[in-house]
Amino acid sequence: MSERETPWDAVGERVRELRGAAGLTVRELARRIGVSASHVSQVERGIGSFSVPALYAVAAELGVPMHDILDPQAPPAPPVAPALAPGGGDLVSAGIVQRAPDHPSIKLSSGPRWSRLTAMGEPDAEFLEVVYAPGTDAPAEHIVHQGREYGVVISGRLSVELRGEATVLHPGDSIVFDSAIPHRFWNSGDEEVRAIWFVRDRKANDPVPHA
């Protein structure tokens, strides 16, 4: 299955645009997300890429949903879904169905490949296919961000660690947790891991989980 991969030079251009609009220097954005200024500069020039934790941190600092960075060329989602004509209509044009070759995807630094499974960005959620290459070590960084995650493994065996407790998810296993809990994923097996992931953004008035 071929997909529409987002090149990192397009991502970098979008990050530079958003950073400028926010009035942040390269050095200040780097300080806020915990990476070097040279790393941010490399990403903005299309010769570097962010890790999963860094990408979440960038989106949070720049005040944009993740899909705005994942697929910067996509039009914004309309506030109301397009209506279908009586008796049917073109589900693809209406943004209801997305064909497999049209999934925008991006390869994260030393991490998984994300493919967005919605035709347009959802305002409060991310619906993704996540693919982990085999034979990878546990990442040094834990991921922490706002939201709640729901995942199910389709193939392979995915190692999961939440707040120091680790387990392995097998095909058909599912997981639900609050994204504010430090977490990380990796694939130490010899088979590619495919999983479907749904991340719901947290609203300001949502209850905060107990740490």
Side-chain angles (χ1 to χ4, degrees), residues 74-196:
V80 179
L84 290 175
D90 185 344
L91 299 181
V92 175
S93 298
I96 295 172
V97 170
Q98 184 183 49
R99 301 299 183 191
D102 296 328
H103 296 322
S105 67
I106 190 169
K107 175 68 171 66
L108 282 300
S109 172
S110 302
R113 178 180 300 278
W114 286 351
S115 298
R116 197 187 72 211
L117 301 180
T118 55
M120 294 175 286
E122 294 291 311
D124 300 315
E126 303 291 343
F127 183 35
L128 306 166
E129 179 187 48
V130 186
V131 177
Y132 295 82
T136 57
D137 295 327
E141 297 177 280
H142 286 78
I143 308 168
V144 179
H145 58 95
Q146 295 302 309
R148 189 163 179 80
E149 305 191 25
Y150 309 77
V152 59
V153 172
I154 305 302
S155 62
R157 299 181 302 278
L158 180 64
S159 294
V160 178
E161 181 185 298
L162 273 79
R163 201 188 281 123
E165 295 293 332
T167 191
V168 177
L169 302 181
H170 297 83
D173 289 349
S174 56
I175 184 171
V176 180
F177 63 97
D178 197 284
S179 307
I181 299 173
H183 56 281
R184 56 181 177 172
F185 308 98
W186 68 98
N187 177 14
S188 58
D190 55 7
E191 177 186 353
E192 180 181 83
V193 170
R194 289 181 59 245
I196 302 298

